[in-house]
Amino acid sequence: MKVTPQRLAVIRCLEGNSSHPSAEQIHRAVTRSFPAISLATVYNTLETLEKIEAVRSVYLTGGRRHYDPEMRPHHHAVCRRCQRIEDVFPETGDPVPVPATVRGRFAEVTPMVLYRGTCADCASSSSP
């Protein structure tokens, strides 16, 4: 992968970013440094990063694709109100068994649980 200033900006935007941004959010952040960067460049960079397993895409809210630089196995929790996404790491191994029917039809299965609820911030802001 050729390292260009634009690609580097996308990578830096993702480094340590646990907010699971969409390509559009990454584009908005990167345009502060590179006003002329196109959304297509951001998408192409994300696609390349996904191919080299430096980032993974996840579909968590409203069918939108989000990007997660955390490559260790984990799950996600999404707030129903503010849509905040948080990583959830299993306490002991992966507690989600992969059914034999799935193992028989898919290779390299990684279970991912999606928890939906109300985050503490939203819950406390709505309480009397």
Side-chain angles (χ1 to χ4, degrees):
M1 175 174 159
K2 183 178 175 188
V3 179
T4 64
Q6 294 84 354
R7 284 181 173 171
L8 198 54
V10 171
I11 292 166
R12 285 191 176 133
C13 181
L14 285 166
E15 276 180 333
N17 188 336
S18 62
S19 70
H20 304 79
S22 66
E24 292 80 8
Q25 290 169 320
I26 294 167
H27 180 252
R28 277 194 298 276
V30 172
T31 54
R32 293 182 195 124
S33 303
F34 295 93
I37 191 171
S38 69
L39 185 56
T41 297
V42 172
Y43 271 111
N44 290 336
T45 300
L46 291 167
E47 199 172 290
T48 300
L49 291 172
E50 208 168 355
K51 284 180 185 171
I52 64 170
E53 298 184 357
V55 68
R56 80 179 71 189
S57 60
V58 290
Y59 295 86
L60 300 171
T61 59
R64 289 183 71 197
R65 193 166 164 176
H66 296 265
Y67 293 88
D68 190 354
E70 177 56 70
M71 298 305 288
R72 293 178 292 166
H74 64 284
H75 308 300
H76 296 95
V78 179
C79 178
R80 285 189 178 104
R81 292 188 189 163
C82 71
Q83 302 303 306
R84 177 172 45 195
I85 303 165
E86 294 186 5
D87 292 332
V88 178
F89 292 91
E91 293 173 9
T92 55
D94 200 319
V96 181
V98 178
T101 55
V102 173
R103 282 193 318 267
R105 295 190 328 248
F106 292 86
E108 301 178 35
V109 176
T110 304
M112 184 182 75
V113 172
L114 177 61
Y115 300 97
R116 291 197 179 274
T118 304
C119 72
D121 291 341
C122 288
S124 67
S125 68
S126 66
S127 56

